[in-house]
Amino acid sequence: KRSQEFSQFREKYFARIEKNARREARAASDPVAEMRAKLEDAEKFQTLMVEANKVVRTKKTDAEKVALLVELGCSEQSAKTLLQPDWCGRIGFASYQLTNNLANIKRMRGRLSELVAKTTATTTETERPDGIKVVENADADRLQIFFPGKPAPETIATLKRNAFKWSPSNGCWQRQLTDNARQAARKILS
């Protein structure tokens, strides 16, 4: 029984070490470069699907079509599969596949622009006449509100309703730095 408990503990321990190593590797990677690579792959796949559909719809023999598809970069097996009709009778890549991939490309472009904007963002501080300091901390990706003392219970309730959390280590109310956070802070402090 003790050896069984030890082996279970050991498995969990090593699994935790692997998980932490994966997390550290992910944190060390550059999210902008990662997103650019994903976007590039999706765009290449989109052009491949469009070109493959052009080939599939030509009036050539199946052997010629397979040769052209292999030339485009498809494997011979997938080229033959593209020539077989699916359950709806469609050959080649279905229109929904092209549409979904294009939607993903648009989403990734938006995300890439957000990531680039975040990396170029700077920390800004705004001091109000009533002593409240609003900090857009780009390094921590947080919108922080520093009060000179403890705010009124109604203000605390409003902060909590708007997803602000008390941070004892920073001595402020904070939430993730987003447009919604900025809007909520303006509403709270108006």
Side-chain angles (χ1 to χ4, degrees):
K1 180 177 170 135
R2 298 279 286 165
S3 65
Q4 195 175 30
E5 287 176 0
F6 176 72
S7 66
Q8 286 176 350
F9 168 77
R10 187 169 180 237
E11 287 174 19
K12 288 180 183 177
Y13 176 75
F14 285 121
R16 211 173 308 129
I17 287 175
E18 281 182 39
K19 185 178 178 183
N20 287 339
R22 283 193 307 269
R23 186 180 298 141
E24 287 172 10
R26 183 118 175 111
S29 67
D30 181 21
V32 174
E34 227 175 86
M35 186 55 69
R36 279 197 177 113
K38 277 185 182 178
L39 180 60
E40 191 176 301
D41 290 343
E43 287 172 340
K44 283 180 186 174
F45 188 56
Q46 183 75 13
T47 56
L48 173 77
M49 287 194 293
V50 169
E51 293 301 317
N53 277 353
K54 286 179 186 176
V55 169
V56 167
R57 287 174 177 83
T58 59
K59 295 186 190 251
K60 297 185 179 192
T61 65
D62 282 354
E64 291 172 324
K65 289 179 184 180
V66 168
L68 288 170
L69 289 170
V70 168
E71 212 173 277
L72 283 174
C74 295
S75 69
E76 193 170 332
Q77 180 63 35
S78 63
K80 288 178 181 176
T81 306
L82 286 173
L83 297 175
Q84 300 299 319
D86 66 358
W87 61 277
C88 284
R90 298 175 292 217
I91 57 170
F93 289 99
S95 62
Y96 72 86
Q97 291 174 304
L98 290 156
T99 306
N100 287 349
N101 194 47
L102 194 57
N104 280 331
I105 288 171
K106 288 179 182 178
R107 177 189 54 80
M108 285 188 267
R109 283 184 185 145
R111 179 68 180 137
L112 181 62
S113 64
E114 285 176 18
L115 289 171
V116 168
K118 273 190 178 182
T119 57
T120 59
T122 58
T123 300
T124 58
E125 290 187 24
T126 308
E127 184 84 35
R128 292 171 32 117
D130 54 2
I132 298 173
K133 185 167 72 169
V134 179
V135 178
E136 290 187 13
N137 191 339
D139 298 329
D141 195 29
R142 295 284 177 262
L143 178 71
Q144 300 172 323
I145 303 175
F146 293 89
F147 289 92
K150 186 173 180 178
E154 305 85 43
T155 308
I156 292 174
T158 308
L159 285 164
K160 287 181 179 180
R161 264 197 315 276
N162 287 286
F164 283 91
K165 307 283 185 235
W166 171 250
S167 171
S169 59
N170 295 320
C172 65
W173 289 89
Q174 67 181 17
R175 70 177 270 186
Q176 188 174 9
L177 183 56
T178 61
D179 289 333
N180 285 342
R182 291 181 186 100
Q183 188 176 4
R186 279 193 295 275
K187 185 177 90 175
I188 292 167
L189 299 175
S190 61

